[in-house]
Amino acid sequence: MSTPRAVVLVEGDSDRVALQTLARRCGRDLAVEGVTVVAMGGITNTRAFVSRYGPRGLGLPLAGLYDAADEPKLRRGLAAAGLAAALEPDGPSRLGFHGCSADLEDELIRALGADAVAAVIEAAGEGRSLRRLAAMPAQRGWTREAVLRRYLAAGSGRKARYAALLVEAMEPARVPEPLTALLGRL
């Protein structure tokens, strides 16, 4: 395997799938372009992956996505691995790391709208399962968006599957800013 020209670090597989799906929709093949998208298995692994690929490792340009609530962990991990600029006020964004308000699923739901997300789930043959979840006593007082987020997070592989389906269903002008900013940097 050849050394990539750049590495994108994302928290999980759904983030990786969403970015690669968006790139394909834009006529790009990140692998052919020499960009490797790495799912780190959680924000707490930032230091290890930046140490491997960043200035103290392979010295490759880095970029990534993270959840806004995890920004302090991201900053510490980047700084500990040799990217001290991460501690500056706009450090993560200057380094190419873009924050999602809650998480990527929240960004996708807001961008598409609850009705369109429910339609994607219905078209995927899982509308009945979503309706069952929404009818459960614990979720009855929840907003529709909260039920959708819970639905997408439940079940093995569901987040990644729907990351692709939701990005595919989205009008280009509605793609969440963290995804467009990240893809634009590559």
Side-chain angles (χ1 to χ4, degrees):
M1 179 175 151
S2 64
T3 301
R5 72 165 177 82
V7 173
V8 177
L9 300 175
V10 296
E11 290 190 47
D13 199 41
S14 63
D15 303 316
R16 181 187 60 76
V17 168
L19 180 62
Q20 290 174 326
T21 301
L22 178 60
R24 274 193 306 280
R25 285 197 65 201
C26 294
R28 297 180 61 185
D29 183 331
L30 297 179
V32 169
E33 294 177 25
V35 176
T36 298
V37 183
V38 177
M40 298 186 296
I43 199 70
T44 57
N45 294 319
T46 300
R47 180 181 183 171
F49 283 92
V50 173
S51 293
R52 176 186 293 162
Y53 296 112
R56 294 182 181 157
L58 295 174
L60 299 171
L62 301 174
L65 283 177
Y66 63 94
D67 300 342
D70 292 331
E71 187 170 316
K73 294 174 189 167
L74 173 83
R75 286 175 179 271
R76 286 191 302 273
L78 291 170
L83 296 171
L87 300 175
E88 296 171 9
D90 62 346
S93 63
R94 281 192 306 110
L95 292 169
F97 288 81
H98 302 277
C100 297
S101 59
D103 56 24
L104 185 58
E105 289 72 29
D106 177 66
E107 295 277 356
L108 295 173
I109 291 168
R110 281 188 295 111
L112 265 174
D115 290 342
V117 173
V120 168
I121 293 169
E122 190 70 46
E126 295 185 348
R128 183 174 178 209
S129 179
L130 174 61
R131 288 188 294 279
R132 271 196 314 245
L133 174 69
M136 289 181 176
Q139 282 80 35
R140 284 193 188 139
W142 290 16
T143 65
R144 192 157 186 217
E145 291 78 10
V147 171
L148 290 167
R149 286 188 72 218
R150 173 71 177 107
Y151 181 80
L152 295 176
S156 178
R158 188 177 283 165
K159 282 175 77 170
R161 177 178 184 223
Y162 280 100
L165 293 173
L166 296 175
V167 170
E168 286 289 346
M170 196 169 294
E171 294 295 322
R174 302 212 29 111
V175 173
E177 189 276 333
L179 274 177
T180 58
L182 178 56
L183 189 58
R185 184 170 177 110
L186 303 175

